[in-house]
Amino acid sequence: SRGLDTEAAPGTVSYRVEVEAAEEITVPNGTYPCLRIRTAIEGSDAPSAVLWYSPNVGMVRLRTGDGGTMDLIYFGPIQPTN
């Protein structure tokens, strides 16, 4: 895994971002090759969030620190509403 550490200026928040694995994820919209990425706030006891990112698509799944999950349900051109 590869991590990215940043040094924060006073009054800002510093995050740790780590690519944990490459894996396929199936969501309601289909199956995508993804990077599993964990993010955490430096110096915080808050649970980390995990997101699955697919190149040329974007975020496919997000699991929040409190256990909530959001999945991609549509990928394509924006459909006009009438």
mmCIF file of all heavy atoms in Angstrom, residues 18-58:
data_model
loop_
_atom_site.group_PDB
_atom_site.id
_atom_site.type_symbol
_atom_site.label_atom_id
_atom_site.label_comp_id
_atom_site.label_asym_id
_atom_site.label_seq_id
_atom_site.Cartn_x
_atom_site.Cartn_y
_atom_site.Cartn_z
ATOM 1 N N GLU A 18 -4.588 6.405 1.939
ATOM 2 C CA GLU A 18 -3.807 5.212 1.638
ATOM 3 C C GLU A 18 -4.544 4.334 0.634
ATOM 4 O O GLU A 18 -5.718 4.010 0.830
ATOM 5 C CB GLU A 18 -3.571 4.425 2.923
ATOM 6 C CG GLU A 18 -2.734 3.197 2.746
ATOM 7 C CD GLU A 18 -2.466 2.480 4.054
ATOM 8 O OE1 GLU A 18 -2.975 2.907 5.105
ATOM 9 O OE2 GLU A 18 -1.749 1.483 4.015
ATOM 10 N N VAL A 19 -3.866 3.962 -0.449
ATOM 11 C CA VAL A 19 -4.409 2.992 -1.397
ATOM 12 C C VAL A 19 -4.119 1.620 -0.812
ATOM 13 O O VAL A 19 -2.956 1.236 -0.645
ATOM 14 C CB VAL A 19 -3.776 3.144 -2.797
ATOM 15 C CG1 VAL A 19 -4.297 2.062 -3.726
ATOM 16 C CG2 VAL A 19 -4.062 4.525 -3.364
ATOM 17 N N GLU A 20 -5.181 0.881 -0.472
ATOM 18 C CA GLU A 20 -5.018 -0.406 0.207
ATOM 19 C C GLU A 20 -4.953 -1.593 -0.758
ATOM 20 O O GLU A 20 -4.258 -2.564 -0.488
ATOM 21 C CB GLU A 20 -6.167 -0.643 1.182
ATOM 22 C CG GLU A 20 -6.198 0.328 2.320
ATOM 23 C CD GLU A 20 -7.294 0.027 3.308
ATOM 24 O OE1 GLU A 20 -8.404 -0.373 2.907
ATOM 25 O OE2 GLU A 20 -7.031 0.199 4.509
ATOM 26 N N ALA A 21 -5.726 -1.538 -1.851
ATOM 27 C CA ALA A 21 -5.793 -2.706 -2.733
ATOM 28 C C ALA A 21 -6.435 -2.326 -4.057
ATOM 29 O O ALA A 21 -7.108 -1.303 -4.165
ATOM 30 C CB ALA A 21 -6.614 -3.814 -2.067
ATOM 31 N N ALA A 22 -6.238 -3.183 -5.048
ATOM 32 C CA ALA A 22 -6.976 -3.118 -6.310
ATOM 33 C C ALA A 22 -7.936 -4.297 -6.297
ATOM 34 O O ALA A 22 -7.533 -5.428 -6.002
ATOM 35 C CB ALA A 22 -6.023 -3.205 -7.493
ATOM 36 N N GLU A 23 -9.215 -4.024 -6.572
ATOM 37 C CA GLU A 23 -10.214 -5.093 -6.536
ATOM 38 C C GLU A 23 -11.418 -4.717 -7.373
ATOM 39 O O GLU A 23 -11.605 -3.548 -7.710
ATOM 40 C CB GLU A 23 -10.644 -5.384 -5.095
ATOM 41 C CG GLU A 23 -11.194 -4.181 -4.357
ATOM 42 C CD GLU A 23 -11.325 -4.412 -2.859
ATOM 43 O OE1 GLU A 23 -10.748 -5.367 -2.326
ATOM 44 O OE2 GLU A 23 -12.017 -3.614 -2.219
ATOM 45 N N GLU A 24 -12.217 -5.710 -7.734
ATOM 46 C CA GLU A 24 -13.462 -5.456 -8.464
ATOM 47 C C GLU A 24 -14.592 -5.280 -7.465
ATOM 48 O O GLU A 24 -14.687 -6.021 -6.493
ATOM 49 C CB GLU A 24 -13.780 -6.613 -9.409
ATOM 50 C CG GLU A 24 -12.965 -6.587 -10.659
ATOM 51 C CD GLU A 24 -13.521 -7.499 -11.736
ATOM 52 O OE1 GLU A 24 -14.357 -8.379 -11.446
ATOM 53 O OE2 GLU A 24 -13.110 -7.321 -12.893
ATOM 54 N N ILE A 25 -15.444 -4.288 -7.729
ATOM 55 C CA ILE A 25 -16.591 -4.005 -6.871
ATOM 56 C C ILE A 25 -17.857 -4.090 -7.707
ATOM 57 O O ILE A 25 -17.917 -3.530 -8.806
ATOM 58 C CB ILE A 25 -16.466 -2.584 -6.258
ATOM 59 C CG1 ILE A 25 -15.293 -2.518 -5.291
ATOM 60 C CG2 ILE A 25 -17.734 -2.157 -5.554
ATOM 61 C CD1 ILE A 25 -15.444 -3.383 -4.063
ATOM 62 N N THR A 26 -18.865 -4.768 -7.181
ATOM 63 C CA THR A 26 -20.166 -4.838 -7.847
ATOM 64 C C THR A 26 -21.146 -3.962 -7.083
ATOM 65 O O THR A 26 -21.317 -4.110 -5.865
ATOM 66 C CB THR A 26 -20.679 -6.284 -7.915
ATOM 67 O OG1 THR A 26 -19.730 -7.057 -8.657
ATOM 68 C CG2 THR A 26 -22.034 -6.355 -8.608
ATOM 69 N N VAL A 27 -21.754 -3.028 -7.809
ATOM 70 C CA VAL A 27 -22.767 -2.115 -7.274
ATOM 71 C C VAL A 27 -24.003 -2.242 -8.160
ATOM 72 O O VAL A 27 -23.955 -2.935 -9.180
ATOM 73 C CB VAL A 27 -22.229 -0.658 -7.240
ATOM 74 C CG1 VAL A 27 -21.074 -0.531 -6.258
ATOM 75 C CG2 VAL A 27 -21.799 -0.193 -8.617
ATOM 76 N N PRO A 28 -25.121 -1.607 -7.826
ATOM 77 C CA PRO A 28 -26.324 -1.753 -8.643
ATOM 78 C C PRO A 28 -26.119 -1.446 -10.131
ATOM 79 O O PRO A 28 -26.810 -2.007 -10.978
ATOM 80 C CB PRO A 28 -27.305 -0.767 -8.008
ATOM 81 C CG PRO A 28 -26.898 -0.719 -6.572
ATOM 82 C CD PRO A 28 -25.397 -0.832 -6.607
ATOM 83 N N ASN A 29 -25.152 -0.597 -10.462
ATOM 84 C CA ASN A 29 -24.926 -0.209 -11.854
ATOM 85 C C ASN A 29 -24.036 -1.181 -12.622
ATOM 86 O O ASN A 29 -23.962 -1.112 -13.837
ATOM 87 C CB ASN A 29 -24.328 1.198 -11.886
ATOM 88 C CG ASN A 29 -24.139 1.718 -13.285
ATOM 89 O OD1 ASN A 29 -23.005 1.784 -13.743
ATOM 90 N ND2 ASN A 29 -25.220 2.055 -13.964
ATOM 91 N N GLY A 30 -23.327 -2.087 -11.935
ATOM 92 C CA GLY A 30 -22.448 -3.028 -12.613
ATOM 93 C C GLY A 30 -21.218 -3.344 -11.785
ATOM 94 O O GLY A 30 -21.158 -3.053 -10.598
ATOM 95 N N THR A 31 -20.224 -3.947 -12.428
ATOM 96 C CA THR A 31 -18.976 -4.332 -11.774
ATOM 97 C C THR A 31 -17.839 -3.504 -12.360
ATOM 98 O O THR A 31 -17.739 -3.369 -13.581
ATOM 99 C CB THR A 31 -18.715 -5.841 -11.965
ATOM 100 O OG1 THR A 31 -19.815 -6.567 -11.393
ATOM 101 C CG2 THR A 31 -17.427 -6.270 -11.293
ATOM 102 N N TYR A 32 -16.992 -2.971 -11.483
ATOM 103 C CA TYR A 32 -15.927 -2.063 -11.901
ATOM 104 C C TYR A 32 -14.602 -2.463 -11.260
ATOM 105 O O TYR A 32 -14.566 -2.838 -10.085
ATOM 106 C CB TYR A 32 -16.246 -0.627 -11.464
ATOM 107 C CG TYR A 32 -17.484 -0.070 -12.095
ATOM 108 C CD1 TYR A 32 -18.715 -0.184 -11.475
ATOM 109 C CD2 TYR A 32 -17.427 0.569 -13.323
ATOM 110 C CE1 TYR A 32 -19.871 0.328 -12.066
ATOM 111 C CE2 TYR A 32 -18.559 1.088 -13.919
ATOM 112 C CZ TYR A 32 -19.784 0.959 -13.281
ATOM 113 O OH TYR A 32 -20.912 1.463 -13.865
ATOM 114 N N PRO A 33 -13.480 -2.334 -12.006
ATOM 115 C CA PRO A 33 -12.163 -2.476 -11.382
ATOM 116 C C PRO A 33 -11.880 -1.201 -10.588
ATOM 117 O O PRO A 33 -12.058 -0.100 -11.089
ATOM 118 C CB PRO A 33 -11.215 -2.605 -12.583
ATOM 119 C CG PRO A 33 -11.914 -1.880 -13.695
ATOM 120 C CD PRO A 33 -13.391 -2.056 -13.439
ATOM 121 N N CYS A 34 -11.493 -1.362 -9.341
ATOM 122 C CA CYS A 34 -11.354 -0.199 -8.457
ATOM 123 C C CYS A 34 -10.078 -0.255 -7.630
ATOM 124 O O CYS A 34 -9.498 -1.316 -7.426
ATOM 125 C CB CYS A 34 -12.520 -0.148 -7.470
ATOM 126 S SG CYS A 34 -14.110 0.185 -8.200
ATOM 127 N N LEU A 35 -9.697 0.912 -7.138
ATOM 128 C CA LEU A 35 -8.708 1.035 -6.079
ATOM 129 C C LEU A 35 -9.473 1.276 -4.786
ATOM 130 O O LEU A 35 -10.365 2.130 -4.735
ATOM 131 C CB LEU A 35 -7.768 2.209 -6.335
ATOM 132 C CG LEU A 35 -6.902 2.097 -7.582
ATOM 133 C CD1 LEU A 35 -6.124 3.390 -7.782
ATOM 134 C CD2 LEU A 35 -5.976 0.908 -7.493
ATOM 135 N N ARG A 36 -9.157 0.505 -3.755
ATOM 136 C CA ARG A 36 -9.765 0.727 -2.434
ATOM 137 C C ARG A 36 -8.880 1.709 -1.685
ATOM 138 O O ARG A 36 -7.689 1.460 -1.478
ATOM 139 C CB ARG A 36 -9.883 -0.583 -1.665
ATOM 140 C CG ARG A 36 -10.610 -0.397 -0.332
ATOM 141 C CD ARG A 36 -10.771 -1.697 0.413
ATOM 142 N NE ARG A 36 -9.467 -2.183 0.844
ATOM 143 C CZ ARG A 36 -9.129 -3.463 0.876
ATOM 144 N NH1 ARG A 36 -9.951 -4.403 0.472
ATOM 145 N NH2 ARG A 36 -7.917 -3.804 1.294
ATOM 146 N N ILE A 37 -9.452 2.853 -1.292
ATOM 147 C CA ILE A 37 -8.694 3.954 -0.693
ATOM 148 C C ILE A 37 -9.275 4.264 0.684
ATOM 149 O O ILE A 37 -10.476 4.484 0.828
ATOM 150 C CB ILE A 37 -8.772 5.199 -1.597
ATOM 151 C CG1 ILE A 37 -8.221 4.865 -2.989
ATOM 152 C CG2 ILE A 37 -8.037 6.365 -0.956
ATOM 153 C CD1 ILE A 37 -8.492 5.921 -4.025
ATOM 154 N N ARG A 38 -8.408 4.294 1.684
ATOM 155 C CA ARG A 38 -8.831 4.619 3.057
ATOM 156 C C ARG A 38 -8.368 6.024 3.388
ATOM 157 O O ARG A 38 -7.222 6.388 3.122
ATOM 158 C CB ARG A 38 -8.246 3.623 4.048
ATOM 159 C CG ARG A 38 -8.692 3.867 5.494
ATOM 160 C CD ARG A 38 -8.239 2.755 6.409
ATOM 161 N NE ARG A 38 -8.738 1.458 5.989
ATOM 162 C CZ ARG A 38 -9.925 0.954 6.318
ATOM 163 N NH1 ARG A 38 -10.741 1.653 7.084
ATOM 164 N NH2 ARG A 38 -10.282 -0.238 5.894
ATOM 165 N N THR A 39 -9.262 6.827 3.957
ATOM 166 C CA THR A 39 -8.918 8.182 4.379
ATOM 167 C C THR A 39 -9.199 8.324 5.870
ATOM 168 O O THR A 39 -10.173 7.774 6.383
ATOM 169 C CB THR A 39 -9.730 9.247 3.613
ATOM 170 O OG1 THR A 39 -11.116 9.095 3.922
ATOM 171 C CG2 THR A 39 -9.527 9.117 2.119
ATOM 172 N N ALA A 40 -8.331 9.042 6.552
ATOM 173 C CA ALA A 40 -8.509 9.286 7.983
ATOM 174 C C ALA A 40 -8.027 10.683 8.303
ATOM 175 O O ALA A 40 -7.095 11.193 7.669
ATOM 176 C CB ALA A 40 -7.725 8.261 8.807
ATOM 177 N N ILE A 41 -8.647 11.301 9.289
ATOM 178 C CA ILE A 41 -8.223 12.613 9.765
ATOM 179 C C ILE A 41 -7.086 12.401 10.756
ATOM 180 O O ILE A 41 -7.233 11.665 11.732
ATOM 181 C CB ILE A 41 -9.395 13.376 10.421
ATOM 182 C CG1 ILE A 41 -10.526 13.573 9.415
ATOM 183 C CG2 ILE A 41 -8.910 14.707 10.984
ATOM 184 C CD1 ILE A 41 -11.793 14.137 10.020
ATOM 185 N N GLU A 42 -5.949 13.030 10.468
ATOM 186 C CA GLU A 42 -4.788 12.901 11.356
ATOM 187 C C GLU A 42 -5.111 13.440 12.751
ATOM 188 O O GLU A 42 -5.733 14.490 12.885
ATOM 189 C CB GLU A 42 -3.597 13.670 10.780
ATOM 190 C CG GLU A 42 -3.016 13.060 9.535
ATOM 191 C CD GLU A 42 -2.253 11.771 9.795
ATOM 192 O OE1 GLU A 42 -1.776 11.551 10.930
ATOM 193 O OE2 GLU A 42 -2.141 10.976 8.847
ATOM 194 N N GLY A 43 -4.699 12.696 13.777
ATOM 195 C CA GLY A 43 -4.869 13.141 15.155
ATOM 196 C C GLY A 43 -6.287 13.060 15.666
ATOM 197 O O GLY A 43 -6.608 13.620 16.706
ATOM 198 N N SER A 44 -7.162 12.356 14.945
ATOM 199 C CA SER A 44 -8.562 12.256 15.347
ATOM 200 C C SER A 44 -8.892 10.807 15.694
ATOM 201 O O SER A 44 -8.328 9.877 15.124
ATOM 202 C CB SER A 44 -9.468 12.719 14.203
ATOM 203 O OG SER A 44 -10.819 12.427 14.497
ATOM 204 N N ASP A 45 -9.835 10.647 16.615
ATOM 205 C CA ASP A 45 -10.333 9.309 16.945
ATOM 206 C C ASP A 45 -11.485 8.905 16.037
ATOM 207 O O ASP A 45 -12.025 7.810 16.166
ATOM 208 C CB ASP A 45 -10.799 9.265 18.407
ATOM 209 C CG ASP A 45 -9.631 9.404 19.383
ATOM 210 O OD1 ASP A 45 -8.497 9.030 19.015
ATOM 211 O OD2 ASP A 45 -9.851 9.890 20.506
ATOM 212 N N ALA A 46 -11.873 9.792 15.115
ATOM 213 C CA ALA A 46 -12.984 9.492 14.202
ATOM 214 C C ALA A 46 -12.615 8.302 13.323
ATOM 215 O O ALA A 46 -11.472 8.184 12.873
ATOM 216 C CB ALA A 46 -13.296 10.706 13.334
ATOM 217 N N PRO A 47 -13.571 7.395 13.072
ATOM 218 C CA PRO A 47 -13.272 6.251 12.213
ATOM 219 C C PRO A 47 -12.943 6.703 10.795
ATOM 220 O O PRO A 47 -13.439 7.728 10.320
ATOM 221 C CB PRO A 47 -14.557 5.433 12.227
ATOM 222 C CG PRO A 47 -15.527 6.139 13.097
ATOM 223 C CD PRO A 47 -14.925 7.421 13.555
ATOM 224 N N SER A 48 -12.101 5.934 10.128
ATOM 225 C CA SER A 48 -11.725 6.266 8.756
ATOM 226 C C SER A 48 -12.857 5.920 7.793
ATOM 227 O O SER A 48 -13.733 5.121 8.099
ATOM 228 C CB SER A 48 -10.455 5.516 8.368
ATOM 229 O OG SER A 48 -10.640 4.130 8.475
ATOM 230 N N ALA A 49 -12.828 6.550 6.627
ATOM 231 C CA ALA A 49 -13.772 6.249 5.552
ATOM 232 C C ALA A 49 -13.018 5.474 4.474
ATOM 233 O O ALA A 49 -11.815 5.612 4.322
ATOM 234 C CB ALA A 49 -14.356 7.533 4.972
ATOM 235 N N VAL A 50 -13.745 4.638 3.742
ATOM 236 C CA VAL A 50 -13.144 3.864 2.663
ATOM 237 C C VAL A 50 -13.931 4.167 1.398
ATOM 238 O O VAL A 50 -15.169 4.183 1.413
ATOM 239 C CB VAL A 50 -13.179 2.350 2.960
ATOM 240 C CG1 VAL A 50 -12.573 1.553 1.810
ATOM 241 C CG2 VAL A 50 -12.470 2.048 4.269
ATOM 242 N N LEU A 51 -13.212 4.430 0.301
ATOM 243 C CA LEU A 51 -13.893 4.628 -0.970
ATOM 244 C C LEU A 51 -13.260 3.747 -2.022
ATOM 245 O O LEU A 51 -12.102 3.363 -1.918
ATOM 246 C CB LEU A 51 -13.899 6.101 -1.395
ATOM 247 C CG LEU A 51 -12.590 6.773 -1.726
ATOM 248 C CD1 LEU A 51 -12.311 6.675 -3.216
ATOM 249 C CD2 LEU A 51 -12.644 8.221 -1.315
ATOM 250 N N TRP A 52 -14.067 3.370 -3.004
ATOM 251 C CA TRP A 52 -13.612 2.570 -4.127
ATOM 252 C C TRP A 52 -13.686 3.466 -5.347
ATOM 253 O O TRP A 52 -14.751 3.980 -5.686
ATOM 254 C CB TRP A 52 -14.474 1.330 -4.290
ATOM 255 C CG TRP A 52 -14.197 0.297 -3.251
ATOM 256 C CD1 TRP A 52 -13.404 -0.810 -3.395
ATOM 257 C CD2 TRP A 52 -14.698 0.227 -1.916
ATOM 258 N NE1 TRP A 52 -13.368 -1.539 -2.241
ATOM 259 C CE2 TRP A 52 -14.158 -0.915 -1.303
ATOM 260 C CE3 TRP A 52 -15.536 1.057 -1.155
ATOM 261 C CZ2 TRP A 52 -14.444 -1.273 0.011
ATOM 262 C CZ3 TRP A 52 -15.828 0.699 0.148
ATOM 263 C CH2 TRP A 52 -15.277 -0.455 0.717
ATOM 264 N N TYR A 53 -12.537 3.667 -5.991
ATOM 265 C CA TYR A 53 -12.408 4.585 -7.111
ATOM 266 C C TYR A 53 -12.040 3.798 -8.362
ATOM 267 O O TYR A 53 -11.093 3.006 -8.354
ATOM 268 C CB TYR A 53 -11.320 5.621 -6.810
ATOM 269 C CG TYR A 53 -11.047 6.544 -7.959
ATOM 270 C CD1 TYR A 53 -11.826 7.679 -8.152
ATOM 271 C CD2 TYR A 53 -10.038 6.274 -8.868
ATOM 272 C CE1 TYR A 53 -11.587 8.525 -9.223
ATOM 273 C CE2 TYR A 53 -9.800 7.119 -9.941
ATOM 274 C CZ TYR A 53 -10.580 8.241 -10.113
ATOM 275 O OH TYR A 53 -10.351 9.069 -11.173
ATOM 276 N N SER A 54 -12.798 4.031 -9.438
ATOM 277 C CA SER A 54 -12.523 3.384 -10.709
ATOM 278 C C SER A 54 -12.081 4.432 -11.727
ATOM 279 O O SER A 54 -12.775 5.431 -11.931
ATOM 280 C CB SER A 54 -13.771 2.662 -11.223
ATOM 281 O OG SER A 54 -13.489 1.975 -12.424
ATOM 282 N N PRO A 55 -10.926 4.228 -12.372
ATOM 283 C CA PRO A 55 -10.475 5.184 -13.388
ATOM 284 C C PRO A 55 -11.535 5.347 -14.480
ATOM 285 O O PRO A 55 -12.208 4.396 -14.845
ATOM 286 C CB PRO A 55 -9.202 4.543 -13.951
ATOM 287 C CG PRO A 55 -8.733 3.621 -12.860
ATOM 288 C CD PRO A 55 -9.984 3.132 -12.197
ATOM 289 N N ASN A 56 -11.679 6.542 -14.984
ATOM 290 C CA ASN A 56 -12.654 6.893 -16.030
ATOM 291 C C ASN A 56 -14.105 6.820 -15.576
ATOM 292 O O ASN A 56 -15.010 7.029 -16.380
ATOM 293 C CB ASN A 56 -12.462 6.037 -17.298
ATOM 294 C CG ASN A 56 -11.084 6.196 -17.875
ATOM 295 O OD1 ASN A 56 -10.548 7.296 -17.953
ATOM 296 N ND2 ASN A 56 -10.484 5.095 -18.264
ATOM 297 N N VAL A 57 -14.345 6.502 -14.332
ATOM 298 C CA VAL A 57 -15.708 6.482 -13.778
ATOM 299 C C VAL A 57 -15.789 7.430 -12.596
ATOM 300 O O VAL A 57 -16.640 8.291 -12.531
ATOM 301 C CB VAL A 57 -16.138 5.055 -13.351
ATOM 302 C CG1 VAL A 57 -17.503 5.066 -12.669
ATOM 303 C CG2 VAL A 57 -16.133 4.111 -14.541
ATOM 304 N N GLY A 58 -14.894 7.247 -11.627
ATOM 305 C CA GLY A 58 -14.898 8.039 -10.402
ATOM 306 C C GLY A 58 -15.219 7.158 -9.214
ATOM 307 O O GLY A 58 -14.968 5.951 -9.224
#
